[in-house]
Amino acid sequence: MMKLSGRVVESTILLLFVVAMLFTGWATLMDHEISHTYPYGYGSSDSFIHYNLAETAKQFGKLQYFAPWYVWGHDDVEICQSPLMYDTSGMFSFISGIETYDLNMAFAMLAPILISLIMYLLIRKLNKNVALLSLPLGLLSYTQPFSFIFSFGALPHALSWVYAIGAVWAGVNIRVKYVWVLLYVFMTASFMTHSPEMLIVSFLVLLIMVVELFKEKDKIAYVKPYIYAGVMFVVLNSFELIRFFGMNMMRFESVAATRVKHEFGIPFPVITDFPVYILVILGIGVLLSVWLLTKKQHPAAIITSLFFLVAGYGNYFHLDKRAIHIRMLWPVLLSIFFGIVVYMIIKSLSKKRAMYQTAAIALIVLFSVQFAPASPLHGFMTEDRYEGFVWLRENTPEDAIVHYMYCDECSQTNMLGIGHRESFVVRAEDIISTVQNGSIKREYLFSPASEGCSVGKPHRESLLSWKYGFYEHEEGALKGRYFKDICEADYVFFEKESQAEVLEKYNMYIAAVLLKNDFTELVYQNDRVAIIHNKKPGEKCIENGKIQ
Amino acid sequence: MKMEKFNKVIQELKKIGIVLVTLIILSKLIFFKEDFLVVIKFWFTMFWSFVLPGFLIMTIFREKFDFIERLIIGSVLGLAFMSLVSYVIGLIGIHLRIHGIIIPVFVVGLYLYLEWKNGER
């Protein structure tokens, strides 16, 4: 019987693992499609801002400023998000023809696979069989609650962790000539994809450096590549660092630890979310790993996983939400603890190499079946709703103003940016109180349809300073809400369906009242959406009064 | 000796080609609701834009790391490198539309040029 070489077996197991992760993760969560007719699986406002920024990059050929439609027509508002993922997504979209909303998800879904493979390389330095046996734990990445990283919109976070773990790999291999350049590249890519990951992993890279430093005879020669990478990072990224610190993008928040277990009704992962038997294995693995630290030549993989175990509790020491993102990746970051225990069990039964490889294959197959998500991701975008936004984008003037009346998920205001028009959305509390009053009116409380720093609208005054907020008539909006006259809008967007039936009927009542004017026209509708065009913005279109 | 190294890289690129074809076929089974052309476009773009440039850059380290390590790190490096270069050249005015073509072409061209120069010496 032909004996396969170790390399071939290793490659086959890795390929099997990648395919298993693709099947269990990306394929199942995205309903076995790569491309969709609308943003699929998008369950939060953050998901949509990533889509909107990628589309901005495509539209303008680069990403430096927010699109004017996002920021009240201003063309000099700098983005305060790290730009790299959007640029990458836009570039990939041009070549492949796949929409950026699918590509953003794809990159995030591929992140646990890539992180697993890099962790494999780190663990392999310790022991190849432990590395193979560590792989299967990664298959939990796509189970709830770990998979919230995708529906919750932490997409650039996931990609940034790929680069950050790449930087750990580079730190571990820093003695190889020129690897310090890779350390610089990975740190920069992480910083410019989503900065907190780079900041957190810097501590890990420094920790590994200090641990290895004790073993080195020529300590200065060992430290030099780190210095080269650090200097190169600061010098070549100086413009971005100025932007980062100048726009106050680094904030340490002190919040109650309980806040990062649940938010908006969403449970974030905690250690007890691992199945009990895996939790027991991990616990034993942690103890074994700490013991091994004192014995082994290549402790980097163990140090890495212990670091992320502790950092996952970072909500207790100022890491706030970043601790959640680490926990969402615990299945791949803590995998060595699993692999070590399974290795020890098999070693006690048999010393044949084939046993470890067979066990790895069996676990990959078993976990693919056991931990496959039960259903695809459910976002709140529907095809009808998306078609309404696209109609606005393709059929209205670029400077058109759109008012969105009540819809169930319109509080996720970045979703409204899909229309690529300056948009305002009515505040639910105002609509509800107006309905309770039994009245109809022209002026409602609105919020601008943009979040985060775009509400503050930073525009550069000089190399080192920015001005926020704005022009006098926009001052009120800095507080995020103010009264606007719906008769001033060029287009009014209604949804015909709502979980709150009374608000659904109120929407249709306002639409009917608007259409009584001879200068308004229903220009688009489908099963969910109706869009009314106001040809005379500013002219009286509704009489304040009681509902008839 | 130099030609031997170049030939080894060609052999490795063939292995990458096999990985690409395998991934495309298996992905079509996994993404069974997806059009085959979309599956091909996705993986081909991934390999052309990220894996190939990253792997060619990693040939600098071929004496130090094995094929698997260079492929994995090269894929991530390619993603990082392409993204960073794309961002910078976008800021200087080259439209994003052509980045996915010109940057890999530049990397491949540079690699071939350097191999040729090494071969001449």
Side-chain angles (χ1 to χ4, degrees):
Chain A
M1 189 174 151
M2 189 179 75
K3 210 173 168 188
L4 294 171
S5 77
R7 286 281 148 96
V8 170
V9 173
E10 184 187 17
S11 306
T12 307
I13 294 173
L14 287 173
L15 191 59
L16 173 70
F17 170 72
V18 169
V19 170
M21 289 283 272
L22 286 172
F23 173 74
T24 315
W26 183 14
T28 305
L29 289 175
M30 297 301 277
D31 200 23
H32 300 279
E33 289 179 295
I34 293 175
S35 65
H36 303 80
T37 52
Y38 61 94
Y40 187 90
Y42 278 45
S44 74
S45 194
D46 280 359
S47 309
F48 290 100
I49 195 172
H50 306 319
Y51 169 44
N52 291 332
L53 286 174
E55 287 295 301
T56 302
K58 280 183 78 174
Q59 183 180 349
F60 296 97
K62 63 179 178 182
L63 192 62
Q64 190 177 0
Y65 302 108
F66 280 105
W69 43 260
Y70 214 59
V71 286
W72 292 331
H74 299 297
D75 58 7
D76 61 348
V77 177
E78 288 195 18
I79 61 161
C80 57
Q81 287 82 2
S82 301
L84 218 63
M85 189 183 85
Y86 315 117
D87 206 274
T88 308
S89 190
M91 171 179 62
F92 200 105
S93 181
F94 275 125
I95 302 292
S96 64
I98 299 170
E99 293 287 349
T100 53
Y101 53 70
D102 281 321
L103 291 173
N104 287 346
M105 270 297 195
F107 289 134
M109 297 255 177
L110 288 173
I113 300 175
L114 292 171
I115 295 171
S116 284
L117 292 174
I118 302 173
M119 287 298 294
Y120 170 82
L121 295 175
L122 292 176
I123 302 169
R124 194 171 72 158
K125 284 190 185 310
L126 188 74
N127 183 297
K128 186 192 268 191
N129 293 317
V130 171
L132 288 173
L133 292 165
S134 298
L135 290 170
L137 191 70
L139 287 155
L140 273 80
S141 301
Y142 302 101
T143 61
Q144 285 193 18
F146 302 107
S147 61
F148 279 125
I149 198 167
F150 308 118
S151 53
F152 209 56
L155 307 180
H157 312 53
L159 187 57
S160 183
W161 274 120
V162 175
Y163 301 134
I165 304 300
V168 175
W169 175 91
V172 169
N173 290 283
I174 203 74
R175 292 174 185 87
V176 176
K177 201 174 175 187
Y178 300 128
V179 164
W180 64 266
V181 179
L182 304 191
L183 177 62
Y184 154 75
V185 170
F186 288 134
M187 293 295 263
T188 300
S190 178
F191 176 67
M192 291 185 60
T193 301
H194 195 256
S195 321
E197 286 71 26
M198 185 230 88
L199 294 170
I200 293 170
V201 99
S202 302
F203 289 103
L204 173 58
V205 170
L206 277 171
L207 178 62
I208 292 173
M209 182 191 85
V210 166
V211 168
E212 294 290 314
L213 199 58
F214 283 109
K215 293 187 234 168
E216 285 291 320
K217 285 184 186 152
D218 189 350
K219 294 191 189 324
I220 296 193
Y222 175 69
V223 167
K224 264 189 196 167
Y226 282 103
I227 295 173
Y228 298 153
V231 169
M232 197 160 171
F233 179 86
V234 171
V235 170
L236 295 184
N237 291 321
S238 50
F239 188 76
E240 286 299 321
L241 285 166
I242 288 170
R243 223 170 60 84
F244 179 77
F245 288 107
M247 281 205 272
N248 197 30
M249 284 159 74
M250 187 162 76
R251 296 177 297 275
F252 287 106
E253 295 175 42
S254 181
V255 294
T258 52
R259 182 187 152 202
V260 290
K261 283 190 223 161
H262 294 80
E263 192 164 280
F264 312 121
I266 299 165
F268 295 133
V270 291
I271 198 75
T272 47
D273 283 317
F274 285 102
V276 173
Y277 73 94
I278 289 183
L279 195 57
V280 170
I281 292 173
L282 290 177
I284 297 169
V286 169
L287 294 171
L288 274 172
S289 300
V290 172
W291 174 73
L292 277 171
L293 263 183
T294 60
K295 305 259 175 233
K296 287 291 180 176
Q297 293 294 316
H298 298 285
I302 296 173
I303 293 172
T304 301
S305 292
L306 286 171
F307 178 89
F308 284 118
L309 177 63
V310 172
Y313 291 98
N315 47 292
Y316 294 102
F317 47 89
H318 288 297
L319 284 185
D320 189 40
K321 288 182 285 194
R322 311 309 166 202
I324 303 169
H325 302 136
I326 292 172
R327 286 190 240 151
M328 286 178 180
L329 291 169
W330 263 351
V332 294
L333 295 172
L334 306 186
S335 57
I336 190 175
F337 302 137
F338 180 84
I340 278 177
V341 174
V342 177
Y343 171 81
M344 291 297 198
I345 292 171
I346 295 173
K347 192 175 176 184
S348 66
L349 299 170
S350 166
K351 293 204 176 2
K352 285 186 186 169
R353 190 175 64 179
M355 287 299 294
Y356 303 111
Q357 294 159 353
T358 308
I361 292 170
L363 282 169
I364 288 169
V365 172
L366 183 69
F367 281 15
S368 300
V369 173
Q370 183 181 358
F371 297 117
S375 61
L377 285 178
H378 290 296
F380 52 73
M381 181 59 76
T382 65
E383 193 152 2
D384 283 344
R385 180 183 274 168
Y386 181 67
E387 282 175 2
F389 294 138
V390 173
W391 186 91
L392 278 173
R393 192 196 301 176
E394 294 176 351
N395 295 281
T396 62
E398 278 187 18
D399 60 352
I401 295 190
V402 182
H403 286 182
Y404 289 83
M405 298 311 287
Y406 177 81
C407 83
D408 289 334
E409 289 91 14
C410 280
S411 58
Q412 307 296 309
T413 55
N414 282 308
M415 174 179 68
L416 309 179
I418 298 175
H420 286 199
R421 294 294 176 264
E422 193 178 324
S423 301
F424 300 90
V425 60
V426 76
R427 301 285 306 180
E429 63 267 26
D430 191 39
I431 279 275
I432 290 166
S433 71
T434 309
V435 168
Q436 285 170 344
N437 252 343
S439 58
I440 183 170
K441 57 183 182 176
R442 275 178 71 166
E443 285 202 351
Y444 291 87
L445 196 60
F446 278 85
S447 286
S450 58
E451 287 181 13
C453 70
S454 58
V455 175
K457 296 185 184 49
H459 49 284
R460 195 183 283 260
E461 279 193 308
S462 67
L463 178 64
L464 298 173
S465 67
W466 283 261
K467 197 172 170 185
Y468 293 83
F470 299 91
Y471 303 100
E472 280 174 20
H473 69 275
E474 293 170 357
E475 240 181 62
L478 281 176
K479 297 194 176 90
R481 57 203 73 182
Y482 57 120
F483 283 99
K484 285 185 81 66
D485 181 354
I486 66 169
C487 299
E488 283 177 0
D490 299 297
Y491 294 86
V492 188
F493 187 106
F494 294 90
E495 288 216 350
K496 296 191 267 184
E497 286 177 23
S498 171
Q499 288 187 1
E501 199 183 321
V502 66
L503 296 177
E504 180 186 309
K505 286 184 177 162
Y506 188 73
N507 265 356
M508 294 301 96
Y509 181 74
I510 296 179
V513 168
L514 283 176
L515 285 171
K516 283 182 182 163
N517 299 289
D518 56 12
F519 52 85
T520 58
E521 184 190 354
L522 178 67
V523 288
Y524 176 83
Q525 73 170 330
N526 59 32
D527 287 343
R528 189 178 188 109
V529 164
I531 301 175
I532 291 175
H533 177 33
N534 179 1
K535 295 171 198 166
K536 292 184 182 176
E539 193 129 331
K540 187 171 161 183
C541 65
I542 283 184
E543 190 80 45
N544 289 346
K546 288 290 183 188
I547 295 171
Q548 301 297 322
Chain B
M1 183 67 160
K2 308 277 185 200
M3 273 306 292
E4 202 180 302
K5 283 185 181 174
F6 182 68
N7 286 337
K8 275 188 183 165
V9 174
I10 296 296
Q11 291 305 314
E12 288 181 339
L13 287 173
K14 285 181 184 170
K15 285 185 199 172
I16 291 176
I18 293 170
V19 171
L20 171 61
V21 170
T22 308
L23 269 174
I24 289 173
I25 294 168
L26 291 173
S27 290
K28 179 58 191 132
L29 295 172
I30 293 168
F31 294 97
F32 51 82
K33 291 185 184 177
E34 188 56 79
D35 194 71
F36 195 29
L37 193 58
V38 173
V39 175
I40 292 172
K41 277 192 213 172
F42 178 83
W43 285 114
F44 181 78
T45 307
M46 189 63 84
F47 271 65
W48 165 252
S49 300
F50 305 129
V51 176
L52 179 64
F55 183 76
L56 289 178
I57 294 170
M58 287 298 287
T59 55
I60 297 168
F61 305 104
R62 59 187 156 215
E63 309 296 333
K64 298 291 182 185
F65 304 117
D66 65 13
F67 170 74
I68 288 174
E69 193 147 15
R70 280 185 285 119
L71 180 59
I72 292 170
I73 297 300
S75 301
V76 180
L77 176 65
L79 192 55
F81 175 79
M82 284 286 292
S83 304
L84 288 168
V85 171
S86 170
Y87 176 67
V88 170
I89 67 173
L91 289 181
I92 62 176
I94 300 173
H95 199 284
L96 190 61
R97 183 175 290 118
I98 58 173
H99 293 185
I101 299 167
I102 62 173
I103 304 173
V105 164
F106 173 76
V107 172
V108 172
L110 183 63
Y111 169 78
L112 291 172
Y113 171 73
L114 290 171
E115 282 292 335
W116 172 71
K117 286 288 274 186
N118 277 337
E120 283 221 309
R121 275 192 236 121

